[in-house]
Amino acid sequence: LENYLLVDGEFIKQEYALWRYVKLLEQIGYCYYKMDNITTGRLYFIDVLKQYQTYEFDELIFPMEVFQCLDEDDEIVLKLNEIEENYWNS
């Protein structure tokens, strides 16, 4: 977690592919979640969801850590699944 928090997310967002920035958010959330700081981890997962709602699905990569931490009926997971389904059906 300490190393992820040292990364300049805005720099990554501007200089690299968007998926790298979103993956950083997801990995930070994953670390918090696994450290039993569920509330903070969830906030990062919500940020991941917001990115998926804002950008084209094919600009990002599948959020594995979100799906590893949250139940399949969690609101975040359901919305991510809906975004993915809409992408593939369009």
Side-chain angles (χ1 to χ4, degrees), residues 53-88:
Q53 291 171 323
T54 304
Y55 294 96
E56 292 295 320
F57 187 78
D58 61 349
E59 293 181 89
L60 303 170
I61 59 173
F62 191 75
M64 290 299 301
E65 286 89 350
V66 171
F67 286 86
Q68 289 175 359
C69 292
L70 303 178
D71 293 331
E72 64 184 35
D73 62 346
D74 185 279
E75 181 181 349
I76 296 170
V77 170
L78 293 173
K79 287 181 179 179
L80 286 168
N81 282 330
E82 181 182 326
I83 291 167
E84 181 180 21
E85 184 178 316
N86 289 338
Y87 173 78
W88 291 112

PDB file of all heavy atoms in Angstrom, residues 53-88:
ATOM      1  N   GLN A  53     -17.656   4.291 -15.832  1.00  0.00           N
ATOM      2  CA  GLN A  53     -18.866   4.977 -16.285  1.00  0.00           C
ATOM      3  C   GLN A  53     -18.538   6.162 -17.187  1.00  0.00           C
ATOM      4  O   GLN A  53     -19.370   6.594 -17.967  1.00  0.00           O
ATOM      5  CB  GLN A  53     -19.688   5.447 -15.075  1.00  0.00           C
ATOM      6  CG  GLN A  53     -20.296   4.304 -14.306  1.00  0.00           C
ATOM      7  CD  GLN A  53     -20.931   4.734 -12.999  1.00  0.00           C
ATOM      8  OE1 GLN A  53     -20.429   5.612 -12.304  1.00  0.00           O
ATOM      9  NE2 GLN A  53     -22.051   4.105 -12.662  1.00  0.00           N
ATOM     10  N   THR A  54     -17.319   6.667 -17.091  1.00  0.00           N
ATOM     11  CA  THR A  54     -16.920   7.860 -17.816  1.00  0.00           C
ATOM     12  C   THR A  54     -16.261   7.541 -19.159  1.00  0.00           C
ATOM     13  O   THR A  54     -16.465   8.254 -20.131  1.00  0.00           O
ATOM     14  CB  THR A  54     -15.937   8.695 -16.959  1.00  0.00           C
ATOM     15  OG1 THR A  54     -16.559   8.974 -15.714  1.00  0.00           O
ATOM     16  CG2 THR A  54     -15.561   9.983 -17.639  1.00  0.00           C
ATOM     17  N   TYR A  55     -15.478   6.487 -19.208  1.00  0.00           N
ATOM     18  CA  TYR A  55     -14.679   6.183 -20.388  1.00  0.00           C
ATOM     19  C   TYR A  55     -15.219   4.960 -21.115  1.00  0.00           C
ATOM     20  O   TYR A  55     -15.991   4.184 -20.566  1.00  0.00           O
ATOM     21  CB  TYR A  55     -13.212   5.956 -19.995  1.00  0.00           C
ATOM     22  CG  TYR A  55     -12.586   7.210 -19.461  1.00  0.00           C
ATOM     23  CD1 TYR A  55     -12.518   7.454 -18.093  1.00  0.00           C
ATOM     24  CD2 TYR A  55     -12.088   8.178 -20.323  1.00  0.00           C
ATOM     25  CE1 TYR A  55     -11.963   8.620 -17.599  1.00  0.00           C
ATOM     26  CE2 TYR A  55     -11.528   9.350 -19.837  1.00  0.00           C
ATOM     27  CZ  TYR A  55     -11.477   9.561 -18.468  1.00  0.00           C
ATOM     28  OH  TYR A  55     -10.938  10.716 -17.980  1.00  0.00           O
ATOM     29  N   GLU A  56     -14.774   4.791 -22.333  1.00  0.00           N
ATOM     30  CA  GLU A  56     -15.134   3.609 -23.109  1.00  0.00           C
ATOM     31  C   GLU A  56     -14.552   2.376 -22.422  1.00  0.00           C
ATOM     32  O   GLU A  56     -13.414   2.393 -21.948  1.00  0.00           O
ATOM     33  CB  GLU A  56     -14.594   3.700 -24.536  1.00  0.00           C
ATOM     34  CG  GLU A  56     -15.255   4.763 -25.377  1.00  0.00           C
ATOM     35  CD  GLU A  56     -16.719   4.466 -25.618  1.00  0.00           C
ATOM     36  OE1 GLU A  56     -17.075   3.296 -25.845  1.00  0.00           O
ATOM     37  OE2 GLU A  56     -17.518   5.426 -25.567  1.00  0.00           O
ATOM     38  N   PHE A  57     -15.333   1.334 -22.387  1.00  0.00           N
ATOM     39  CA  PHE A  57     -14.928   0.103 -21.713  1.00  0.00           C
ATOM     40  C   PHE A  57     -13.606  -0.430 -22.260  1.00  0.00           C
ATOM     41  O   PHE A  57     -12.769  -0.921 -21.517  1.00  0.00           O
ATOM     42  CB  PHE A  57     -16.034  -0.947 -21.858  1.00  0.00           C
ATOM     43  CG  PHE A  57     -15.788  -2.189 -21.055  1.00  0.00           C
ATOM     44  CD1 PHE A  57     -16.033  -2.207 -19.693  1.00  0.00           C
ATOM     45  CD2 PHE A  57     -15.297  -3.332 -21.665  1.00  0.00           C
ATOM     46  CE1 PHE A  57     -15.802  -3.350 -18.948  1.00  0.00           C
ATOM     47  CE2 PHE A  57     -15.066  -4.479 -20.923  1.00  0.00           C
ATOM     48  CZ  PHE A  57     -15.319  -4.487 -19.563  1.00  0.00           C
ATOM     49  N   ASP A  58     -13.398  -0.295 -23.572  1.00  0.00           N
ATOM     50  CA  ASP A  58     -12.181  -0.858 -24.165  1.00  0.00           C
ATOM     51  C   ASP A  58     -10.934  -0.026 -23.873  1.00  0.00           C
ATOM     52  O   ASP A  58      -9.836  -0.414 -24.224  1.00  0.00           O
ATOM     53  CB  ASP A  58     -12.353  -1.064 -25.667  1.00  0.00           C
ATOM     54  CG  ASP A  58     -12.628   0.217 -26.432  1.00  0.00           C
ATOM     55  OD1 ASP A  58     -12.897   1.259 -25.806  1.00  0.00           O
ATOM     56  OD2 ASP A  58     -12.594   0.162 -27.665  1.00  0.00           O
ATOM     57  N   GLU A  59     -11.063   1.124 -23.183  1.00  0.00           N
ATOM     58  CA  GLU A  59      -9.915   1.909 -22.765  1.00  0.00           C
ATOM     59  C   GLU A  59      -9.353   1.402 -21.434  1.00  0.00           C
ATOM     60  O   GLU A  59      -8.294   1.826 -21.001  1.00  0.00           O
ATOM     61  CB  GLU A  59     -10.294   3.382 -22.592  1.00  0.00           C
ATOM     62  CG  GLU A  59     -10.651   4.090 -23.880  1.00  0.00           C
ATOM     63  CD  GLU A  59     -10.985   5.544 -23.610  1.00  0.00           C
ATOM     64  OE1 GLU A  59     -10.055   6.367 -23.627  1.00  0.00           O
ATOM     65  OE2 GLU A  59     -12.172   5.827 -23.382  1.00  0.00           O
ATOM     66  N   LEU A  60     -10.094   0.522 -20.781  1.00  0.00           N
ATOM     67  CA  LEU A  60      -9.731   0.050 -19.458  1.00  0.00           C
ATOM     68  C   LEU A  60      -9.526  -1.459 -19.485  1.00  0.00           C
ATOM     69  O   LEU A  60      -9.746  -2.101 -20.502  1.00  0.00           O
ATOM     70  CB  LEU A  60     -10.846   0.435 -18.478  1.00  0.00           C
ATOM     71  CG  LEU A  60     -11.154   1.932 -18.437  1.00  0.00           C
ATOM     72  CD1 LEU A  60     -12.416   2.200 -17.633  1.00  0.00           C
ATOM     73  CD2 LEU A  60      -9.996   2.722 -17.863  1.00  0.00           C
ATOM     74  N   ILE A  61      -9.073  -2.012 -18.378  1.00  0.00           N
ATOM     75  CA  ILE A  61      -8.923  -3.459 -18.300  1.00  0.00           C
ATOM     76  C   ILE A  61      -9.838  -3.984 -17.204  1.00  0.00           C
ATOM     77  O   ILE A  61     -10.264  -3.249 -16.320  1.00  0.00           O
ATOM     78  CB  ILE A  61      -7.454  -3.882 -18.045  1.00  0.00           C
ATOM     79  CG1 ILE A  61      -6.927  -3.293 -16.745  1.00  0.00           C
ATOM     80  CG2 ILE A  61      -6.573  -3.475 -19.212  1.00  0.00           C
ATOM     81  CD1 ILE A  61      -5.562  -3.792 -16.355  1.00  0.00           C
ATOM     82  N   PHE A  62     -10.144  -5.262 -17.269  1.00  0.00           N
ATOM     83  CA  PHE A  62     -11.089  -5.870 -16.339  1.00  0.00           C
ATOM     84  C   PHE A  62     -10.621  -5.681 -14.904  1.00  0.00           C
ATOM     85  O   PHE A  62      -9.477  -5.987 -14.574  1.00  0.00           O
ATOM     86  CB  PHE A  62     -11.244  -7.353 -16.667  1.00  0.00           C
ATOM     87  CG  PHE A  62     -12.375  -8.010 -15.945  1.00  0.00           C
ATOM     88  CD1 PHE A  62     -13.683  -7.781 -16.327  1.00  0.00           C
ATOM     89  CD2 PHE A  62     -12.124  -8.845 -14.879  1.00  0.00           C
ATOM     90  CE1 PHE A  62     -14.734  -8.385 -15.655  1.00  0.00           C
ATOM     91  CE2 PHE A  62     -13.168  -9.455 -14.204  1.00  0.00           C
ATOM     92  CZ  PHE A  62     -14.473  -9.215 -14.596  1.00  0.00           C
ATOM     93  N   PRO A  63     -11.484  -5.184 -14.024  1.00  0.00           N
ATOM     94  CA  PRO A  63     -11.107  -4.886 -12.634  1.00  0.00           C
ATOM     95  C   PRO A  63     -11.113  -6.126 -11.738  1.00  0.00           C
ATOM     96  O   PRO A  63     -12.006  -6.324 -10.917  1.00  0.00           O
ATOM     97  CB  PRO A  63     -12.168  -3.866 -12.208  1.00  0.00           C
ATOM     98  CG  PRO A  63     -13.371  -4.230 -13.015  1.00  0.00           C
ATOM     99  CD  PRO A  63     -12.840  -4.742 -14.323  1.00  0.00           C
ATOM    100  N   MET A  64     -10.124  -6.965 -11.863  1.00  0.00           N
ATOM    101  CA  MET A  64     -10.065  -8.239 -11.141  1.00  0.00           C
ATOM    102  C   MET A  64     -10.121  -8.068  -9.621  1.00  0.00           C
ATOM    103  O   MET A  64     -10.805  -8.824  -8.941  1.00  0.00           O
ATOM    104  CB  MET A  64      -8.789  -9.003 -11.502  1.00  0.00           C
ATOM    105  CG  MET A  64      -8.771  -9.550 -12.914  1.00  0.00           C
ATOM    106  SD  MET A  64     -10.084 -10.738 -13.235  1.00  0.00           S
ATOM    107  CE  MET A  64      -9.738 -11.986 -12.027  1.00  0.00           C
ATOM    108  N   GLU A  65      -9.379  -7.095  -9.096  1.00  0.00           N
ATOM    109  CA  GLU A  65      -9.312  -6.942  -7.647  1.00  0.00           C
ATOM    110  C   GLU A  65     -10.673  -6.568  -7.057  1.00  0.00           C
ATOM    111  O   GLU A  65     -11.018  -7.003  -5.963  1.00  0.00           O
ATOM    112  CB  GLU A  65      -8.251  -5.915  -7.256  1.00  0.00           C
ATOM    113  CG  GLU A  65      -6.834  -6.419  -7.411  1.00  0.00           C
ATOM    114  CD  GLU A  65      -6.236  -6.180  -8.792  1.00  0.00           C
ATOM    115  OE1 GLU A  65      -6.976  -5.790  -9.723  1.00  0.00           O
ATOM    116  OE2 GLU A  65      -5.025  -6.386  -8.942  1.00  0.00           O
ATOM    117  N   VAL A  66     -11.439  -5.766  -7.786  1.00  0.00           N
ATOM    118  CA  VAL A  66     -12.781  -5.417  -7.307  1.00  0.00           C
ATOM    119  C   VAL A  66     -13.610  -6.681  -7.164  1.00  0.00           C
ATOM    120  O   VAL A  66     -14.260  -6.912  -6.139  1.00  0.00           O
ATOM    121  CB  VAL A  66     -13.480  -4.421  -8.268  1.00  0.00           C
ATOM    122  CG1 VAL A  66     -14.940  -4.232  -7.883  1.00  0.00           C
ATOM    123  CG2 VAL A  66     -12.752  -3.083  -8.283  1.00  0.00           C
ATOM    124  N   PHE A  67     -13.564  -7.522  -8.188  1.00  0.00           N
ATOM    125  CA  PHE A  67     -14.362  -8.743  -8.182  1.00  0.00           C
ATOM    126  C   PHE A  67     -13.858  -9.764  -7.164  1.00  0.00           C
ATOM    127  O   PHE A  67     -14.623 -10.591  -6.681  1.00  0.00           O
ATOM    128  CB  PHE A  67     -14.415  -9.358  -9.587  1.00  0.00           C
ATOM    129  CG  PHE A  67     -15.305  -8.591 -10.511  1.00  0.00           C
ATOM    130  CD1 PHE A  67     -14.841  -7.492 -11.218  1.00  0.00           C
ATOM    131  CD2 PHE A  67     -16.639  -8.955 -10.665  1.00  0.00           C
ATOM    132  CE1 PHE A  67     -15.675  -6.782 -12.057  1.00  0.00           C
ATOM    133  CE2 PHE A  67     -17.489  -8.245 -11.510  1.00  0.00           C
ATOM    134  CZ  PHE A  67     -17.000  -7.152 -12.200  1.00  0.00           C
ATOM    135  N   GLN A  68     -12.581  -9.707  -6.816  1.00  0.00           N
ATOM    136  CA  GLN A  68     -12.045 -10.605  -5.797  1.00  0.00           C
ATOM    137  C   GLN A  68     -12.498 -10.208  -4.400  1.00  0.00           C
ATOM    138  O   GLN A  68     -12.642 -11.057  -3.525  1.00  0.00           O
ATOM    139  CB  GLN A  68     -10.511 -10.611  -5.850  1.00  0.00           C
ATOM    140  CG  GLN A  68      -9.952 -11.306  -7.050  1.00  0.00           C
ATOM    141  CD  GLN A  68      -8.437 -11.173  -7.127  1.00  0.00           C
ATOM    142  OE1 GLN A  68      -7.803 -10.541  -6.287  1.00  0.00           O
ATOM    143  NE2 GLN A  68      -7.850 -11.753  -8.158  1.00  0.00           N
ATOM    144  N   CYS A  69     -12.724  -8.924  -4.191  1.00  0.00           N
ATOM    145  CA  CYS A  69     -13.061  -8.428  -2.851  1.00  0.00           C
ATOM    146  C   CYS A  69     -14.560  -8.372  -2.584  1.00  0.00           C
ATOM    147  O   CYS A  69     -14.989  -8.652  -1.464  1.00  0.00           O
ATOM    148  CB  CYS A  69     -12.478  -7.028  -2.654  1.00  0.00           C
ATOM    149  SG  CYS A  69     -10.680  -7.000  -2.581  1.00  0.00           S
ATOM    150  N   LEU A  70     -15.329  -8.000  -3.579  1.00  0.00           N
ATOM    151  CA  LEU A  70     -16.752  -7.744  -3.353  1.00  0.00           C
ATOM    152  C   LEU A  70     -17.609  -8.928  -3.761  1.00  0.00           C
ATOM    153  O   LEU A  70     -17.257  -9.685  -4.659  1.00  0.00           O
ATOM    154  CB  LEU A  70     -17.185  -6.496  -4.131  1.00  0.00           C
ATOM    155  CG  LEU A  70     -16.415  -5.216  -3.813  1.00  0.00           C
ATOM    156  CD1 LEU A  70     -16.918  -4.068  -4.684  1.00  0.00           C
ATOM    157  CD2 LEU A  70     -16.524  -4.865  -2.340  1.00  0.00           C
ATOM    158  N   ASP A  71     -18.738  -9.059  -3.107  1.00  0.00           N
ATOM    159  CA  ASP A  71     -19.692 -10.115  -3.445  1.00  0.00           C
ATOM    160  C   ASP A  71     -20.309  -9.852  -4.813  1.00  0.00           C
ATOM    161  O   ASP A  71     -20.402  -8.699  -5.257  1.00  0.00           O
ATOM    162  CB  ASP A  71     -20.812 -10.178  -2.401  1.00  0.00           C
ATOM    163  CG  ASP A  71     -20.319 -10.623  -1.036  1.00  0.00           C
ATOM    164  OD1 ASP A  71     -19.323 -11.379  -0.988  1.00  0.00           O
ATOM    165  OD2 ASP A  71     -20.921 -10.211  -0.029  1.00  0.00           O
ATOM    166  N   GLU A  72     -20.754 -10.902  -5.455  1.00  0.00           N
ATOM    167  CA  GLU A  72     -21.311 -10.773  -6.805  1.00  0.00           C
ATOM    168  C   GLU A  72     -22.595  -9.959  -6.839  1.00  0.00           C
ATOM    169  O   GLU A  72     -22.962  -9.438  -7.891  1.00  0.00           O
ATOM    170  CB  GLU A  72     -21.535 -12.134  -7.442  1.00  0.00           C
ATOM    171  CG  GLU A  72     -22.549 -12.999  -6.741  1.00  0.00           C
ATOM    172  CD  GLU A  72     -22.679 -14.371  -7.350  1.00  0.00           C
ATOM    173  OE1 GLU A  72     -21.679 -14.936  -7.817  1.00  0.00           O
ATOM    174  OE2 GLU A  72     -23.808 -14.883  -7.361  1.00  0.00           O
ATOM    175  N   ASP A  73     -23.254  -9.804  -5.707  1.00  0.00           N
ATOM    176  CA  ASP A  73     -24.474  -9.001  -5.668  1.00  0.00           C
ATOM    177  C   ASP A  73     -24.240  -7.593  -5.122  1.00  0.00           C
ATOM    178  O   ASP A  73     -25.181  -6.839  -4.878  1.00  0.00           O
ATOM    179  CB  ASP A  73     -25.571  -9.705  -4.870  1.00  0.00           C
ATOM    180  CG  ASP A  73     -25.203  -9.939  -3.422  1.00  0.00           C
ATOM    181  OD1 ASP A  73     -24.010  -9.806  -3.062  1.00  0.00           O
ATOM    182  OD2 ASP A  73     -26.104 -10.262  -2.633  1.00  0.00           O
ATOM    183  N   ASP A  74     -22.979  -7.222  -4.948  1.00  0.00           N
ATOM    184  CA  ASP A  74     -22.638  -5.879  -4.508  1.00  0.00           C
ATOM    185  C   ASP A  74     -22.992  -4.877  -5.617  1.00  0.00           C
ATOM    186  O   ASP A  74     -22.820  -5.159  -6.803  1.00  0.00           O
ATOM    187  CB  ASP A  74     -21.134  -5.801  -4.190  1.00  0.00           C
ATOM    188  CG  ASP A  74     -20.747  -4.472  -3.607  1.00  0.00           C
ATOM    189  OD1 ASP A  74     -20.564  -3.515  -4.387  1.00  0.00           O
ATOM    190  OD2 ASP A  74     -20.623  -4.380  -2.374  1.00  0.00           O
ATOM    191  N   GLU A  75     -23.451  -3.711  -5.234  1.00  0.00           N
ATOM    192  CA  GLU A  75     -23.879  -2.690  -6.194  1.00  0.00           C
ATOM    193  C   GLU A  75     -22.774  -2.319  -7.184  1.00  0.00           C
ATOM    194  O   GLU A  75     -23.037  -2.140  -8.375  1.00  0.00           O
ATOM    195  CB  GLU A  75     -24.334  -1.439  -5.432  1.00  0.00           C
ATOM    196  CG  GLU A  75     -24.825  -0.322  -6.313  1.00  0.00           C
ATOM    197  CD  GLU A  75     -25.249   0.891  -5.509  1.00  0.00           C
ATOM    198  OE1 GLU A  75     -25.363   0.811  -4.277  1.00  0.00           O
ATOM    199  OE2 GLU A  75     -25.463   1.938  -6.137  1.00  0.00           O
ATOM    200  N   ILE A  76     -21.545  -2.210  -6.707  1.00  0.00           N
ATOM    201  CA  ILE A  76     -20.423  -1.867  -7.585  1.00  0.00           C
ATOM    202  C   ILE A  76     -20.215  -2.960  -8.624  1.00  0.00           C
ATOM    203  O   ILE A  76     -20.048  -2.692  -9.811  1.00  0.00           O
ATOM    204  CB  ILE A  76     -19.136  -1.626  -6.770  1.00  0.00           C
ATOM    205  CG1 ILE A  76     -19.313  -0.409  -5.861  1.00  0.00           C
ATOM    206  CG2 ILE A  76     -17.927  -1.455  -7.684  1.00  0.00           C
ATOM    207  CD1 ILE A  76     -18.208  -0.218  -4.848  1.00  0.00           C
ATOM    208  N   VAL A  77     -20.215  -4.200  -8.189  1.00  0.00           N
ATOM    209  CA  VAL A  77     -20.031  -5.336  -9.097  1.00  0.00           C
ATOM    210  C   VAL A  77     -21.165  -5.395 -10.110  1.00  0.00           C
ATOM    211  O   VAL A  77     -20.934  -5.593 -11.307  1.00  0.00           O
ATOM    212  CB  VAL A  77     -19.930  -6.657  -8.302  1.00  0.00           C
ATOM    213  CG1 VAL A  77     -19.976  -7.862  -9.224  1.00  0.00           C
ATOM    214  CG2 VAL A  77     -18.660  -6.672  -7.460  1.00  0.00           C
ATOM    215  N   LEU A  78     -22.389  -5.200  -9.654  1.00  0.00           N
ATOM    216  CA  LEU A  78     -23.533  -5.238 -10.565  1.00  0.00           C
ATOM    217  C   LEU A  78     -23.422  -4.160 -11.637  1.00  0.00           C
ATOM    218  O   LEU A  78     -23.689  -4.414 -12.824  1.00  0.00           O
ATOM    219  CB  LEU A  78     -24.843  -5.086  -9.792  1.00  0.00           C
ATOM    220  CG  LEU A  78     -25.195  -6.242  -8.851  1.00  0.00           C
ATOM    221  CD1 LEU A  78     -26.425  -5.895  -8.023  1.00  0.00           C
ATOM    222  CD2 LEU A  78     -25.393  -7.537  -9.614  1.00  0.00           C
ATOM    223  N   LYS A  79     -22.999  -2.963 -11.242  1.00  0.00           N
ATOM    224  CA  LYS A  79     -22.861  -1.879 -12.216  1.00  0.00           C
ATOM    225  C   LYS A  79     -21.718  -2.136 -13.187  1.00  0.00           C
ATOM    226  O   LYS A  79     -21.837  -1.852 -14.376  1.00  0.00           O
ATOM    227  CB  LYS A  79     -22.680  -0.545 -11.496  1.00  0.00           C
ATOM    228  CG  LYS A  79     -23.954  -0.058 -10.846  1.00  0.00           C
ATOM    229  CD  LYS A  79     -23.770   1.273 -10.163  1.00  0.00           C
ATOM    230  CE  LYS A  79     -25.087   1.727  -9.543  1.00  0.00           C
ATOM    231  NZ  LYS A  79     -24.960   3.004  -8.856  1.00  0.00           N
ATOM    232  N   LEU A  80     -20.609  -2.679 -12.698  1.00  0.00           N
ATOM    233  CA  LEU A  80     -19.501  -3.020 -13.594  1.00  0.00           C
ATOM    234  C   LEU A  80     -19.919  -4.100 -14.586  1.00  0.00           C
ATOM    235  O   LEU A  80     -19.589  -4.022 -15.772  1.00  0.00           O
ATOM    236  CB  LEU A  80     -18.274  -3.466 -12.792  1.00  0.00           C
ATOM    237  CG  LEU A  80     -17.510  -2.354 -12.086  1.00  0.00           C
ATOM    238  CD1 LEU A  80     -16.509  -2.939 -11.102  1.00  0.00           C
ATOM    239  CD2 LEU A  80     -16.812  -1.452 -13.095  1.00  0.00           C
ATOM    240  N   ASN A  81     -20.647  -5.083 -14.097  1.00  0.00           N
ATOM    241  CA  ASN A  81     -21.141  -6.134 -14.994  1.00  0.00           C
ATOM    242  C   ASN A  81     -22.093  -5.562 -16.040  1.00  0.00           C
ATOM    243  O   ASN A  81     -22.053  -5.965 -17.212  1.00  0.00           O
ATOM    244  CB  ASN A  81     -21.832  -7.242 -14.206  1.00  0.00           C
ATOM    245  CG  ASN A  81     -20.860  -8.182 -13.552  1.00  0.00           C
ATOM    246  OD1 ASN A  81     -19.755  -8.403 -14.046  1.00  0.00           O
ATOM    247  ND2 ASN A  81     -21.249  -8.750 -12.432  1.00  0.00           N
ATOM    248  N   GLU A  82     -22.922  -4.634 -15.653  1.00  0.00           N
ATOM    249  CA  GLU A  82     -23.861  -4.000 -16.594  1.00  0.00           C
ATOM    250  C   GLU A  82     -23.111  -3.214 -17.662  1.00  0.00           C
ATOM    251  O   GLU A  82     -23.452  -3.287 -18.845  1.00  0.00           O
ATOM    252  CB  GLU A  82     -24.798  -3.069 -15.825  1.00  0.00           C
ATOM    253  CG  GLU A  82     -25.818  -2.376 -16.683  1.00  0.00           C
ATOM    254  CD  GLU A  82     -26.689  -1.440 -15.868  1.00  0.00           C
ATOM    255  OE1 GLU A  82     -26.981  -1.752 -14.697  1.00  0.00           O
ATOM    256  OE2 GLU A  82     -27.069  -0.379 -16.407  1.00  0.00           O
ATOM    257  N   ILE A  83     -22.073  -2.482 -17.262  1.00  0.00           N
ATOM    258  CA  ILE A  83     -21.262  -1.728 -18.222  1.00  0.00           C
ATOM    259  C   ILE A  83     -20.610  -2.679 -19.215  1.00  0.00           C
ATOM    260  O   ILE A  83     -20.618  -2.446 -20.421  1.00  0.00           O
ATOM    261  CB  ILE A  83     -20.200  -0.882 -17.489  1.00  0.00           C
ATOM    262  CG1 ILE A  83     -20.888   0.241 -16.718  1.00  0.00           C
ATOM    263  CG2 ILE A  83     -19.170  -0.334 -18.467  1.00  0.00           C
ATOM    264  CD1 ILE A  83     -19.989   0.948 -15.724  1.00  0.00           C
ATOM    265  N   GLU A  84     -20.057  -3.774 -18.709  1.00  0.00           N
ATOM    266  CA  GLU A  84     -19.414  -4.750 -19.579  1.00  0.00           C
ATOM    267  C   GLU A  84     -20.430  -5.378 -20.536  1.00  0.00           C
ATOM    268  O   GLU A  84     -20.179  -5.511 -21.736  1.00  0.00           O
ATOM    269  CB  GLU A  84     -18.732  -5.843 -18.760  1.00  0.00           C
ATOM    270  CG  GLU A  84     -18.022  -6.863 -19.627  1.00  0.00           C
ATOM    271  CD  GLU A  84     -17.356  -7.950 -18.818  1.00  0.00           C
ATOM    272  OE1 GLU A  84     -17.724  -8.172 -17.654  1.00  0.00           O
ATOM    273  OE2 GLU A  84     -16.461  -8.602 -19.379  1.00  0.00           O
ATOM    274  N   GLU A  85     -21.583  -5.743 -20.021  1.00  0.00           N
ATOM    275  CA  GLU A  85     -22.616  -6.356 -20.860  1.00  0.00           C
ATOM    276  C   GLU A  85     -23.081  -5.392 -21.944  1.00  0.00           C
ATOM    277  O   GLU A  85     -23.224  -5.783 -23.109  1.00  0.00           O
ATOM    278  CB  GLU A  85     -23.795  -6.776 -19.993  1.00  0.00           C
ATOM    279  CG  GLU A  85     -24.877  -7.509 -20.757  1.00  0.00           C
ATOM    280  CD  GLU A  85     -25.997  -7.951 -19.839  1.00  0.00           C
ATOM    281  OE1 GLU A  85     -25.688  -8.459 -18.741  1.00  0.00           O
ATOM    282  OE2 GLU A  85     -27.164  -7.783 -20.235  1.00  0.00           O
ATOM    283  N   ASN A  86     -23.294  -4.136 -21.586  1.00  0.00           N
ATOM    284  CA  ASN A  86     -23.700  -3.133 -22.571  1.00  0.00           C
ATOM    285  C   ASN A  86     -22.652  -2.936 -23.644  1.00  0.00           C
ATOM    286  O   ASN A  86     -22.974  -2.739 -24.816  1.00  0.00           O
ATOM    287  CB  ASN A  86     -24.034  -1.804 -21.901  1.00  0.00           C
ATOM    288  CG  ASN A  86     -25.313  -1.864 -21.102  1.00  0.00           C
ATOM    289  OD1 ASN A  86     -26.180  -2.709 -21.325  1.00  0.00           O
ATOM    290  ND2 ASN A  86     -25.445  -0.958 -20.137  1.00  0.00           N
ATOM    291  N   TYR A  87     -21.390  -2.986 -23.249  1.00  0.00           N
ATOM    292  CA  TYR A  87     -20.303  -2.832 -24.208  1.00  0.00           C
ATOM    293  C   TYR A  87     -20.324  -3.975 -25.231  1.00  0.00           C
ATOM    294  O   TYR A  87     -20.235  -3.742 -26.431  1.00  0.00           O
ATOM    295  CB  TYR A  87     -18.949  -2.796 -23.487  1.00  0.00           C
ATOM    296  CG  TYR A  87     -17.780  -2.797 -24.440  1.00  0.00           C
ATOM    297  CD1 TYR A  87     -17.421  -1.639 -25.102  1.00  0.00           C
ATOM    298  CD2 TYR A  87     -17.060  -3.961 -24.696  1.00  0.00           C
ATOM    299  CE1 TYR A  87     -16.358  -1.641 -25.991  1.00  0.00           C
ATOM    300  CE2 TYR A  87     -16.002  -3.964 -25.583  1.00  0.00           C
ATOM    301  CZ  TYR A  87     -15.656  -2.798 -26.224  1.00  0.00           C
ATOM    302  OH  TYR A  87     -14.610  -2.804 -27.112  1.00  0.00           O
ATOM    303  N   TRP A  88     -20.444  -5.183 -24.756  1.00  0.00           N
ATOM    304  CA  TRP A  88     -20.393  -6.342 -25.650  1.00  0.00           C
ATOM    305  C   TRP A  88     -21.654  -6.487 -26.488  1.00  0.00           C
ATOM    306  O   TRP A  88     -21.618  -7.084 -27.555  1.00  0.00           O
ATOM    307  CB  TRP A  88     -20.118  -7.622 -24.867  1.00  0.00           C
ATOM    308  CG  TRP A  88     -18.724  -7.644 -24.331  1.00  0.00           C
ATOM    309  CD1 TRP A  88     -18.352  -7.574 -23.024  1.00  0.00           C
ATOM    310  CD2 TRP A  88     -17.510  -7.702 -25.080  1.00  0.00           C
ATOM    311  NE1 TRP A  88     -16.979  -7.582 -22.907  1.00  0.00           N
ATOM    312  CE2 TRP A  88     -16.432  -7.653 -24.159  1.00  0.00           C
ATOM    313  CE3 TRP A  88     -17.215  -7.769 -26.440  1.00  0.00           C
ATOM    314  CZ2 TRP A  88     -15.104  -7.689 -24.564  1.00  0.00           C
ATOM    315  CZ3 TRP A  88     -15.882  -7.797 -26.836  1.00  0.00           C
ATOM    316  CH2 TRP A  88     -14.857  -7.761 -25.903  1.00  0.00           C
TER     317      TRP A  88
END
